[in-house]
Amino acid sequence: MPAYLDNNATTQPAPQVIDAVVSMLRDDWGNPSSIHRFGQQARRRVDLARQQVCRLLHCQERELIFTSGATESNNLAIRGLLEARAPRRTFVTDKLEHSAVREPARQLAERGYNVVYLPVSPDGLVDPQALKETLDRHADDVALAAVHWINNETGAIQPLQELGTICREHRVPFFTDATQAVGKIPCDLAALPVDLLSFSAHKFHGPKGVGGLFVRRGIKITPQQLGGPHERDRRGGTENTPGVVGCGVAAELAGQFLSGDGPARGRAQRDRLEHSILRAVPDTVVNSVGAPRLWNTTNLGFPALESEAILVLLSEQGVCAAAGAACSTGSLEPSPVLLAQGVPEKIAHGSIRLSLSRYTTDAEIDDALRILPRVVDKLRGTLPAASAR
Ligand code: PMP
């Protein structure tokens, strides 16, 4: 079996999740809106899933909208808030967001909205002082501010508490794309100054095509999908019941994982991987090394190499890794996220991401440690002498 070190792209579904999805398809296939017993049984299981997710996030059930995943949640949060808060026309965000935030932001700018991009540090952190100054300046025109929680490429953790507090002080709703955070670090929405939060179940061993958007009580959002009273009139359409139930089970399992020593064990694996590569491969750069980082991610730069070439050879030899977001695979451009945080092009071009999960074994780390230095050596051997340094 190849070593799977691409868990920020997606994770393997937990066996309990698979059982729940199958039983929903096979046994409890009713429409939860139906009045009869098939419908009511499906409704019960959707309700239970909602409780399971809300327990993980520490929010109320009425504050959770099930969606088809983080991309839909991000679009709903951004468009839904900008519509609801018209005539305000300023959207504050940053250039390190996932494309599911960057693209809606770009479209808003094309439509004449004022999109303000906050500056970021070389480690990929948004500066709270810059947020404060922006909100001071644009005060009454800001409809929404959006900063992701954890970067999918580098694992850098944003100063969410500080950013959210500044938004609260300015009475500006604060949205965070928490797709790489939910299920991997504790998320206490009772304490976090966040008004909207998005996630996808498949990032924490749930099924694909399902996730959610937390919308804090009192925040008005204009629905983007009309067609029924589902999800308290905020997202029309028959629920993806197998997905939702799988998401609930995944949330419950994530809660158990977070209360044990799993994250510490994962961090030790990641650190062993990172430190050993740094020792074995001269000139390796760890991107965002100065930021607080998620326990599961390392983003390594090998100056003057091409990340695609590294990934192809790794894959051939049995290590699955990535460069940037899975959604941008196929492009030969260096990661726009790394460039936006000021990583030099020569390093960004040769950067790859290794990401672990609670299923990652020590043997997989050993495989990567055996194979990656060989791959880099081989590619360096093919470089013209001048660019090899
Ligand atoms: N936001 C972030 C930070 C992500 O990492 C991803 C998935 N790579 C998404 C949003 C989109 O998730 P999905 O494809 O499940 O909609």
Side-chain angles (χ1 to χ4, degrees), residues 226-243:
L226 307 178
H230 310 85
E231 301 297 308
R232 291 179 173 263
D233 286 320
R234 292 168 302 181
R235 200 257 187 187
T238 303
E239 296 85 343
N240 165 12
T241 56

Side-chain angles (χ1 to χ4, degrees), residues 8 69-71 74 98 100 150 152 177 179-180 200 202-203 327:
N8 286 5
T71 300
N74 290 354
H98 187 271
I150 296 183
N152 60 302
D177 174 348
T179 310
Q180 296 294 345
S200 267
H202 71 101
K203 306 289 188 184
C327 335

Side-chain angles (χ1 to χ4, degrees), residues 158-175:
Q158 298 293 340
L160 213 62
Q161 185 77 35
E162 263 181 279
L163 297 169
T165 301
I166 292 165
C167 287
R168 282 243 163 117
E169 285 165 2
H170 289 78
R171 298 178 180 278
V172 167
F174 182 50
F175 162 53

Side-chain angles (χ1 to χ4, degrees), residues 84-98:
R85 288 177 51 82
R88 297 176 185 84
R89 293 187 69 80
T90 298
F91 174 49
V92 178
T93 185
D94 63 88
K95 294 201 166 153
L96 307 184
E97 296 297 313
H98 187 271

